[in-house]
């Protein structure tokens, strides 16, 4: 197990280095002068030259990259061109909002996917199975921004049950935090839940046809015991992998939902960095997304080997 963990960790580090090179290179290919944009109407040549020199933008790209990645390893992601604040601090300020949205959306997705996918697999080609397939396909096909806007119009505008947008920190008001979280979490969770529903259905169907399940039924075990101990225990193992991938996606891919609901998370921060050509902030945000994705996948891989003894490492 230790050797496998070391190999997977080494692979993750290599991938992360490759991502960092790609992010740094692509960001510097974007048109626009970040210092000029940051100065705005306060522009004068002396200040401009001083800021470019202090930011290291006059150095060769290789030197800039090595300086950035060396500092990033210690947690120093540089200083935002636009606000002048440390990038690490800006990211940490937005992190709770994104974590709460991604976590709540994953809970919504699992509450939908596990029972609906299991019921659909237990009754294939039934009305329930057909309705589940249609609804999951709709959930995958409908854009998140459109779904969010419809929810705002209905539940915020017409019914007035929830706020149309905004974020309330949990420390300020747990009730206000939960109230503001419902619509964006349901919007994101429905899309993720649609993906997980189809995956759960296929996994349960595969488990139902396994030899050990047929043997358990032949021995006369009660249907509920067969379902709980022989079907679901094996069918839900692959769901661990997919859930980890989906959580990583939720943490790094909720930009649209955050914009629709004015949710001050990392996605909105990354978008602002793109618009203002804020290199350090954009690089720091994307690097964090990559780290989260790789770490979650590594954890899922290691957890999977513990949950399924058939996998040898």
């Amino acid at each position: 197990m230790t050797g496998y963990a070391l190999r997977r960790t080494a692979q993750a580090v290599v991938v992360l280095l490759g991502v960092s090179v790609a992010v740094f290179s692509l960001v510097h290919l974007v048109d626009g002068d970040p210092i000029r944009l940051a100065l705005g109407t306060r522009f004068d040549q002396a200040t401009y030259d001083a800021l470019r020199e202090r930011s290291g933008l006059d150095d060769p790209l290789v030197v800039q990259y090595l300086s950035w990645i060396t500092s990033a390893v210690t947690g120093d992601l540089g200083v935002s061109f636009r606000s002048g604040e440390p990038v690490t601090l800006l990211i940490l300020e937005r992190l709770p909002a994104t974590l709460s949205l991604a976590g709540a959306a994953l809970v919504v997705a699992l509450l939908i996917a596990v029972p609906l996918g299991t019921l659909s697999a237990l009754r294939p080609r039934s009305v329930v199975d057909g309705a589940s397939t249609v609804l999951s396909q709709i959930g995958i096909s409908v854009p998140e921004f459109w779904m969010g806007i419809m929810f705002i119009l209905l539940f915020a505008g017409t019914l007035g049950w929830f706020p149309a947008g905004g974020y309330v920190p949990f420390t300020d008001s747990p009730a206000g935090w939960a109230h503001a979280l419902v619509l964006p979490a349901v919007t994101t969770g429905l899309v993720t839940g649609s993906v997980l529903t189809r995956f759960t259905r296929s996994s349960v169907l595969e488990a139902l046809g396994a030899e050990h399940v047929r043997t358990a039924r032949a021995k006369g075990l009660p249907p509920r015991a067969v379902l709980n101990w022989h079907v679901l225990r094996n069918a839900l193992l692959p769901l661990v992998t997919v859930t980890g991938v989906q959580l990583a996606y939720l943490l790094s891919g909720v930009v649209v939902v955050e914009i629709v609901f004015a949710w001050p998370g990392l996605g909105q921060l990354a978008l602002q960095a793109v618009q203002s050509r804020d290199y350090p902030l954009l690089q720091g945000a994307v690097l964090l997304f990559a780290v989260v994705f790789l770490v979650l996948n590594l954890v899922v891989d290691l957890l999977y080997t513990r949950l399924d003894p058939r996998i040898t490492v």
Side-chain angles (χ1 to χ4, degrees):
M1 183 66 184
T2 303
Y4 176 76
L6 289 175
R7 289 197 304 272
R8 287 291 292 110
T9 303
Q11 291 170 359
V13 170
V14 172
V15 172
L16 185 59
L17 284 174
V19 169
S20 69
V21 172
V23 169
F24 182 86
S25 302
L26 291 174
V27 165
H28 282 75
L29 289 175
V30 176
D31 289 335
D33 190 330
I35 303 299
R36 182 68 181 85
L37 288 171
L39 288 175
T41 57
R42 302 168 297 169
F43 175 82
D44 69 79
Q45 193 62 44
T47 305
Y48 174 83
D49 293 338
L51 285 177
R52 276 194 68 89
E53 184 178 356
R54 190 175 69 180
S55 302
L57 292 177
D58 290 332
D59 295 333
L61 286 179
V62 174
V63 176
Q64 291 184 47
Y65 170 76
L66 291 176
S67 176
W68 171 65
I69 197 64
T70 303
S71 299
V73 170
T74 64
D76 180 9
L77 297 173
V79 177
S80 168
F81 289 161
R82 185 175 184 182
S83 67
E85 298 181 66
V87 170
T88 305
L89 180 61
L90 292 173
I91 290 176
L92 291 177
E93 288 176 350
R94 300 293 188 101
L95 190 59
T98 294
L99 288 177
S100 60
L101 176 55
L106 185 63
V107 171
V108 171
L110 291 174
L111 288 176
I112 295 171
V114 175
L116 187 58
T118 302
L119 186 61
S120 180
L122 292 174
R123 300 179 181 177
R125 293 181 293 278
S126 66
V127 174
V128 173
D129 186 27
S132 169
T133 301
V134 171
L135 290 175
S136 62
Q137 190 62 48
I138 291 174
I140 294 172
S141 304
V142 173
E144 289 179 330
F145 73 87
W146 185 87
M147 191 183 302
I149 292 172
M150 293 300 103
F151 282 168
I152 290 173
L153 292 175
L154 176 61
F155 294 107
T158 303
L159 300 175
W161 291 354
F162 302 102
Y167 171 72
V168 179
F170 181 82
T171 52
D172 292 351
S173 171
W177 170 81
H179 196 219
L181 183 61
V182 171
L183 288 185
V186 171
T187 300
T188 311
L190 284 175
V191 176
T192 304
S194 299
V195 176
L196 294 179
T197 296
R198 299 181 68 178
F199 189 85
T200 302
R201 178 185 181 277
S202 62
S203 295
V204 173
L205 277 175
E206 184 179 353
L208 285 169
E211 266 188 48
H212 67 278
V213 173
R214 291 196 295 268
T215 302
R217 285 172 173 168
K219 289 181 178 179
L221 289 178
R224 183 176 294 275
V226 173
L227 177 64
N228 292 337
W229 293 100
H230 297 280
V231 176
L232 291 182
R233 286 186 66 182
N234 292 286
L236 296 183
L237 279 175
L239 189 62
V240 173
T241 302
V242 180
T243 300
V245 173
Q246 288 298 313
L247 179 57
Y249 162 76
L250 287 171
L251 286 171
S252 59
V254 293
V255 180
V256 174
V257 174
E258 289 185 356
I259 293 171
V260 170
F261 290 96
W263 195 262
L266 291 175
Q268 197 176 86
L269 183 68
L271 177 62
Q272 293 170 357
V274 172
Q275 293 172 336
S276 61
R277 307 296 191 272
D278 195 338
Y279 292 169
L281 183 55
L282 181 57
Q283 290 169 180
V286 176
L287 186 65
L288 176 64
F289 292 147
V291 169
V292 168
F293 196 92
L294 289 171
V295 169
L296 284 176
N297 275 277
L298 178 61
V299 170
V300 167
D301 284 350
L302 297 180
L303 182 62
Y304 201 71
T305 59
R306 301 300 298 269
L307 293 175
D308 192 347
R310 295 171 298 177
I311 297 178
T312 57
V313 296

